Amino acid sequence: MSSQVSGLSDLLKSNLDRGVSSNEDELLQRRDIFGANTYPRKKRKSIWRFVFEACQDLTLVILMVAAATSLSLGIVTAGVKDGWYDGGSIFFAVFLVIFVTATSDYRQSLQFQHLNEEKQNIQVEVIRGGKRVGASIFDLVVGDVV
């Protein structure tokens, strides 16, 4: 078993006692050759997706129908100049609620994503250049002795 581990360490140009070199250029070269110790992240939702989701609220849909009805009846009965006030006010209130809801949900999503990234950033000790060094799991390279 020990010969397999030492053989693997030789292939990776790593030393079991000293680890890999702490030279930044060599660490970058290892990251370029073997890839970074990360995974692809999910694409986050845009603000427009949150706007669309806010528009799906049943109460707001009912209010939009009521606003359209009020707007059309107001224009028919009082004319365009004075008849749009009630329906226009309801539309304005609905769009304001949609904007506030979407903005709030979007900000919460960003905060959750930031907290999740902090939670996943685990610190470990590696041996580089013969010294114990603290490193993030995202900064590990192939050949590190953890």
Side-chain angles (χ1 to χ4, degrees), residues 92-116:
F92 177 74
V94 168
F95 289 127
L96 187 64
V97 168
I98 288 171
F99 174 75
V100 169
T101 302
T103 304
S104 174
D105 290 348
Y106 182 71
R107 292 185 74 205
Q108 284 179 349
S109 172
L110 290 178
Q111 287 175 343
F112 178 75
Q113 183 180 7
H114 179 69
L115 287 173
N116 202 25

Side-chain angles (χ1 to χ4, degrees), residues 14-128:
S14 178
N15 184 306
L16 294 176
D17 296 322
R18 298 187 50 76
V20 295
S21 171
S22 58
N23 181 357
E24 281 295 320
D25 291 334
E26 184 179 330
L27 294 174
L28 286 174
Q29 184 180 17
R30 284 180 178 274
R31 192 167 287 124
D32 288 342
I33 292 170
F34 298 109
N37 192 31
T38 58
Y39 50 90
R41 295 182 183 175
K42 275 185 4 182
K43 185 178 175 184
R44 73 173 188 225
K45 292 195 263 184
S46 71
I47 185 74
W48 298 112
R49 181 70 182 164
F50 287 101
V51 169
F52 178 73
E53 289 174 1
C55 290
Q56 302 300 311
D57 186 327
L58 182 61
T59 305
L60 294 179
V61 171
I62 291 170
L63 283 173
M64 284 189 267
V65 170
T69 304
S70 176
L71 186 63
S72 61
L73 287 176
I75 290 174
V76 168
T77 57
V80 175
K81 187 175 180 183
D82 295 325
W84 68 271
Y85 293 128
D86 291 336
S89 299
I90 296 171
F91 268 124
F92 177 74
V94 168
F95 289 127
L96 187 64
V97 168
I98 288 171
F99 174 75
V100 169
T101 302
T103 304
S104 174
D105 290 348
Y106 182 71
R107 292 185 74 205
Q108 284 179 349
S109 172
L110 290 178
Q111 287 175 343
F112 178 75
Q113 183 180 7
H114 179 69
L115 287 173
N116 202 25
E117 287 173 2
E118 283 184 24
K119 181 183 81 170
Q120 292 175 349
N121 188 11
I122 300 168
Q123 297 294 316
V124 295
E125 281 190 1
V126 296
I127 299 175
R128 289 187 179 159

Side-chain angles (χ1 to χ4, degrees), residues 126-137:
V126 296
I127 299 175
R128 289 187 179 159
K131 297 179 183 174
R132 286 180 177 248
V133 180
S136 166
I137 61 168

